[in-house]
Amino acid sequence: MKAKATSIDIAHMTGVSQATVSRALRGSPLVNEETRRRIQAAAEQLNYKVDKNASNLRRMHTGTLALLFFEDPTADESHINPFFLSMLGSITRACAVQGYDLLISFQQFSHDWHADFADSKKADGLILLGYGDYLAYCDKLEKLVAQGTRFVRWGAVLPNQPGVSIGCDNFRGGQAVAEHLLERGCRRIAFLGDASSHYPEFFGRYRGYVDALQKAGVAVDPALQENAESTESFGYEAMRNMIVREVGFDAVFAASDLIAIGAMRALSDHGLRVPQDVALVGFDDIATASFVNPPLTTVLQDTKQAGEVLVDSLLALIRGEPVDSEVLPVKLMVRRSSLR
């Protein structure tokens, strides 16, 4: 059998060094156009194929990005928040456009998987989705920074946080929801979601809601806030607790669509109609939001834009370029659940 052509064969044919052949075939600007054309013609004549694995090994480059999911409690045992499933599609497309493969890993938060995965050198950089308690998660991010790992994460953009974060404008989203409900005549607006630094995205939404109430001259009643994590069951229990406490409310702002869907069921079970008795708004605009009855008013986070920005930012880090955290705009999607 005829031996497979090598870059040395091309070098002999064209009268240049092997290094020049390698530079020309990877598009280096150090090779002039005439020489590049001769080398490419010789490569075609010899049916030469670049060994990507060997090339990547020499450059310590895998051509792969890793997307690491944090395990999340869900009703269907998938343990992946539906919002992140939408994000997954956009990240996959963005990687394909950039010529990168995407390696997806689903890990339990209890393990030190961020640092372990970075040490494995399976990918050139990491994209992190989900994190649970942010104050506990920060330690993992600081360890990645100390190791020199190139990573970006989706989440709240905060001052002096480790690494690069891409997130939506949670504060403005919370403002928009409260302003919308106030315009509909609501004055006793409940908030379902953990409003603390442990969950900074929910906290940002809560702060925006408080700001809008205060600007409208509406008193902020602490009794109208109930903690909830982002699942239907937490939303159901938080809503049920508020109903049982008989604090009185005419609207509910749920910090996520999953919380809102659980709250909708609790309201129905207690004889309260949406939107006739209680206006209801969520946050995220997951696919299910427009199919529940009534369709859910919510805040859209643009997952297509988010996926593109996450991938572009990570590739810039891999190239050694400076990258800043970025806050993306949101949009209120008004549907029947809030139209009293």
Side-chain angles (χ1 to χ4, degrees):
M1 294 180 61
K2 184 178 179 181
K4 183 179 178 181
T6 68
S7 58
I8 295 176
D9 298 325
I10 298 174
H12 278 303
M13 180 177 286
T14 55
V16 301
S17 69
Q18 185 182 9
T20 299
V21 171
S22 296
R23 283 194 288 268
L25 294 178
R26 66 170 185 262
S28 170
L30 298 177
V31 181
N32 66 56
E33 190 58 34
E34 181 184 351
T35 302
R36 189 194 319 281
R37 282 198 297 268
R38 284 195 294 114
I39 289 171
Q40 289 172 340
E44 290 177 10
Q45 183 179 341
L46 295 172
N47 197 27
Y48 173 78
K49 302 295 182 185
V50 176
D51 186 339
K52 291 185 177 179
N53 290 332
S55 176
N56 288 339
L57 184 61
R58 284 192 297 271
R59 292 184 289 153
M60 297 301 290
H61 172 69
T62 66
T64 299
L65 304 181
L67 174 61
L68 305 189
F69 277 111
F70 155 60
E71 184 178 90
D72 223 0
T74 56
D76 62 0
E77 300 300 322
S78 69
H79 296 281
I80 300 177
N81 187 316
F83 171 73
F84 289 142
L85 292 177
S86 177
M87 186 84 80
L88 169 60
S90 63
I91 291 171
T92 302
R93 287 189 293 273
C95 285
V97 168
Q98 297 286 357
Y100 271 75
D101 293 325
L102 183 66
L103 178 63
I104 301 171
S105 183
F106 181 49
Q107 310 267 350
Q108 291 185 346
F109 184 67
S110 56
H111 301 153
D112 195 16
W113 51 278
H114 293 71
D116 292 344
F117 201 97
D119 287 340
S120 71
K121 307 298 183 185
K122 294 178 181 177
D124 299 327
L126 310 180
I127 298 173
L128 309 179
L129 294 184
Y131 53 81
D133 186 330
Y134 177 76
L135 297 184
Y137 184 73
C138 253
D139 290 339
K140 297 180 182 294
L141 300 182
E142 288 170 353
K143 187 169 184 179
L144 289 178
V145 171
Q147 290 180 180
T149 303
R150 293 161 295 200
F151 72 93
V152 296
R153 59 177 287 273
W154 175 262
V157 177
L158 304 172
N160 304 315
Q161 66 187 166
V164 174
S165 293
I166 309 298
C168 83
D169 194 340
N170 293 294
F171 183 86
R172 179 57 199 142
Q175 274 185 325
V177 170
E179 289 166 357
H180 169 70
L181 292 172
L182 289 166
E183 288 168 1
R184 306 302 302 182
C186 303
R187 289 299 178 269
R188 298 280 295 170
I189 304 172
F191 181 89
L192 305 184
D194 192 315
S196 75
S197 54
H198 290 273
Y199 293 85
E201 288 174 293
F202 284 7
F203 194 26
R205 295 164 197 179
Y206 178 75
R207 290 188 297 103
Y209 145 92
V210 167
D211 182 76
L213 292 183
Q214 291 176 336
K215 287 179 178 176
V218 176
V220 178
D221 185 352
L224 288 174
Q225 188 269 325
E226 188 80 31
N227 283 344
E229 294 180 31
S230 192
T231 69
E232 296 95 330
S233 59
F234 275 109
Y236 184 95
E237 286 303 312
M239 191 76 271
R240 187 187 68 83
N241 290 342
M242 188 165 290
I243 294 170
V244 168
R245 289 196 286 111
E246 298 183 339
V247 296
F249 54 90
D250 54 14
V252 174
F253 173 21
S256 78
D257 288 345
L258 295 181
I259 294 173
I261 291 169
M264 187 180 291
R265 172 64 65 85
L267 289 166
S268 176
D269 286 353
H270 287 81
L272 294 169
R273 300 167 301 166
V274 176
Q276 294 91 334
D277 300 319
V278 180
L280 178 64
V281 180
F283 202 108
D284 287 337
D285 198 25
I286 62 174
T288 311
S290 60
F291 289 96
V292 294
N293 188 24
L296 183 65
T297 295
T298 185
V299 175
L300 167 68
Q301 300 190 75
D302 188 339
T303 55
K304 180 179 184 297
Q305 181 188 19
E308 292 170 354
V309 174
L310 284 165
V311 171
D312 289 346
S313 297
L314 181 55
L315 294 180
L317 286 174
I318 290 169
R319 294 191 296 267
E321 300 169 5
V323 178
D324 294 325
S325 295
E326 187 172 346
V327 176
L328 305 182
V330 294
K331 180 181 179 182
L332 183 69
M333 308 296 291
V334 178
R335 302 190 181 107
R336 192 153 50 88
S337 70
S338 65
L339 299 180
R340 299 180 66 200

